[in-house]
Amino acid sequence: MAGRNGSRTRPDPHPTGAGPGALRRALAAPRPTAGLGGHSFGAEAAAALAVARPRVVRALVLAGPTSDPTARSRRGLVGRWLVDTLRESPWQVPILCRDVLDARPWRVATTVSHSVRHAVEADLAWITAPTLVLAGERDPIVPPRWRAQVTRLVPDARLVTVPDVAHNVLTTAPGPVAEAIRDLLDPNPRG
């Protein structure tokens, strides 16, 4: 996303050619062509798209997937987010706060409200793509019980829990994340 994670510049939003044209081509393809991923609330959207368009998604990454049914309330989600800010790398906290301001608090509240109403587990059992469930070991938003349940619900899923990181596993542990995604996309690498 342009201008996110502390960036003050607006980079090319589609540097790999993964813009709207690529999405249209993937949606029209006769066989699965797209690797799709989502983090946090984005994992809910990615799961829904994988169910709605199974012929498009050849691999799916659900990183820090919300929303744990035991905290499916505004208070529960916001409370876990606040705990997460205490567990994140110190350099992440100002970025997270700025992201909320950049996205606009009313939009964040709308997203939280959607997540409260949306039972993502209803989508998970219908996912047909090989799936990586990715979470940080210290993630209070996606506790061990919920990440295990997500992995059980998706028919072809594998769980990777990255040690010593919290919810923002994608930005705080890029090496292990890249390795796990590489394994998902090419489980039998040629060497």
Side-chain angles (χ1 to χ4, degrees), residues 39 63-64 88 134-136 139 162 165-174 177:
H39 176 255
E88 288 293 347
L134 187 61
D139 186 344
V162 180
V165 297
H167 189 63
N168 283 343
V169 63
L170 295 177
T171 55
T172 58
V177 166

Side-chain angles (χ1 to χ4, degrees), residues 31-118:
R31 64 180 189 273
T33 59
L36 180 64
H39 176 255
S40 198
F41 295 124
E44 290 183 46
L49 181 58
V51 171
R53 299 291 182 115
R55 67 180 177 79
V56 172
V57 180
R58 79 172 185 96
L60 180 64
V61 177
L62 302 176
T66 57
S67 170
D68 179 358
T70 65
R72 195 171 286 142
S73 68
R74 287 176 194 84
R75 178 182 286 178
L77 290 172
V78 171
R80 285 187 179 186
W81 181 80
L82 290 171
V83 170
D84 182 65
T85 61
L86 299 174
R87 294 184 181 180
E88 288 293 347
S89 296
W91 61 271
Q92 282 283 295
V93 177
I95 294 168
L96 294 171
C97 293
R98 193 169 44 246
D99 281 352
V100 169
L101 293 175
D102 287 348
R104 304 292 185 255
W106 64 266
R107 190 175 294 135
V108 173
T110 300
T111 302
V112 169
S113 293
H114 169 78
S115 193
V116 167
R117 291 187 309 272
H118 178 77

Side-chain angles (χ1 to χ4, degrees), residues 2-39:
R4 302 303 291 241
N5 290 325
S7 170
R8 289 293 177 213
T9 62
R10 295 189 59 83
D12 177 358
H14 312 294
T16 62
L23 180 58
R24 278 192 297 278
R25 287 188 299 280
L27 292 172
R31 64 180 189 273
T33 59
L36 180 64
H39 176 255

